[in-house]
Amino acid sequence: MTSSDRTLKVDIWRGNEKGEYQSFEVPERENQTVLDVVTYIQRHLDPALAYRFACRVGVCGSCTMTVNGRPRWTCRTHVSRVVKGGKLTIAPLTNLPVIRDLVTDMTPFFEKWRDARGRFVAGDGPKDELAPVQPESRERSAASAAIECINCGVCYSACDVVSWNDDYLGPAALNRAWAAYNDVRDGDRNGILKAVSQGAGCHTCHSHQSCTEHCPVSLNPTFSIAGLKRASLKAKLKGALK
Amino acid sequence: MTPLSYFLQRGTAMLMVPLIITHLAVIIMAVQGGLSAEEILSRTRGSMLWAGFYGVFVLAASIHAGIGMQTILHEWTPLGRQASANIGHTLIAILWLLGARAIYAVVWA
Ligand code: HEM
Ligand code: SF4
Ligand code: SF4
Ligand code: FES
């Protein structure tokens, strides 16, 4: 790693819902990530800075923050890609309560996963028989396309409808529900359609694709939600949602 | 948005596509060589075809716009879900009444 004398000007959110930005000077390094910058500040300038990370390689989804106005996974975001005029502004994810500094409370995010029924429900088939799932089937392909979510909350933060409507289940939970719905082994697939059609569910989405634009692992929640809209509307018209 | 209001809003949107195209095409043809009230009324007066056409159109547009405004009010104003729905439904009724009155005026009055 080559070091230079150049520094970055980094403004970091301090406080919770109420607070202010604090400015730091951080040495600029080659191939530095935004998470490296935050870690440098915590190790060398202010040990009280609260932030979250675990894997540092884009797997765990815990390091997401708002960087120069956009939600991003900071461990895989190179400073050189997002820096503007030598400046970085780093804030917690939007659309979630702030615990302290860069740490948000993900509880509402995961409560909505539960509400969208994104978990497997066993059927009452015999336990010793494996359910055949053809790898090439339409359902398996749809599930595969949606399954690799790292629960990072970037899409949830990027969705305007979440910020307008507290009850909206949001892109991640609905994307998960679509993956679960396409698991043909599930014992109550109709229950998923019911869950996502209640209150501010899938039909609340405006299909404007901000979630898809921002998802760091290139998932397409908009497409998943469109699938849920279609499937639940069909079920509704058949009278299967009651 | 409930599955039903979603269905009605997207359904009326699809329904309006051919209606709007026909509406615009007739306007463009009608204004060739000037436009007069007599010319319009001679086409519409007593015509069950135009009464039916605009009857469907007005109903579709009322439902579509009413549901759309309900969404906008809920998302963009402090009004809650129920208040937004009440205003949306009232709007559907008002738009439909205005439209029905206009159809009555050019077909029957
Ligand atoms: C053929 C013509 C039309 C089509 C295809 C159409 C289509 C649509 C669609 C797909 C939406 C949902 C947008 C979303 O979920 O974000 C929408 C919303 C809306 N439309 Fe239309 N529309 C048409 C005509 C009209 C007309 C004539 C009016 C007014 C009388 C109108 C008023 C609205 C309003 C107020 C909304 C709510 C905006 C929103 O939900 O984002 N539309 N329209
Ligand atoms: S497409 Fe739907 S879920 Fe995605 S950002 Fe837009 S409103 Fe939110
Ligand atoms: S869908 Fe993408 S952006 Fe949303 S939580 Fe999953 S990985 Fe993150
Ligand atoms: S630290 Fe695990 S995804 Fe960034």
XYZ file of all heavy atoms in Angstrom, chain A residues 4 47 63 80 89 154 194:
48
model
N 0.080 8.548 0.881
C 0.400 9.887 0.397
C 0.124 10.855 1.530
O -0.380 10.484 2.569
C -0.467 10.218 -0.811
O -1.801 10.361 -0.375
N -12.380 6.821 19.697
C -12.800 5.449 20.003
C -14.277 5.329 20.358
O -14.820 4.219 20.381
C -11.915 5.048 21.193
C -11.235 6.277 21.662
C -11.345 7.325 20.610
N -22.694 -3.634 7.455
C -21.864 -2.417 7.444
C -22.495 -1.274 6.665
O -21.826 -0.320 6.308
C -20.509 -2.732 6.841
S -20.645 -3.173 5.095
N -12.555 5.921 -3.687
C -12.308 6.586 -4.971
C -13.563 6.628 -5.840
O -13.717 7.515 -6.676
C -11.182 5.868 -5.715
O -11.528 4.506 -5.880
N -19.364 12.295 3.203
C -20.331 12.531 4.274
C -20.964 11.180 4.594
O -21.562 10.542 3.717
C -21.410 13.534 3.831
O -20.740 14.737 3.427
C -22.361 13.844 4.967
N -30.135 -1.885 2.486
C -29.888 -0.797 1.534
C -31.154 -0.454 0.752
O -31.525 0.722 0.609
C -28.718 -1.167 0.585
C -28.750 -0.320 -0.682
C -27.383 -0.984 1.304
N -51.497 -14.073 1.278
C -52.350 -13.346 2.216
C -51.544 -12.311 2.978
O -51.941 -11.155 3.103
C -52.975 -14.327 3.220
C -54.283 -14.908 2.767
C -54.901 -15.739 3.890
C -55.738 -16.857 3.298
N -55.998 -17.932 4.257
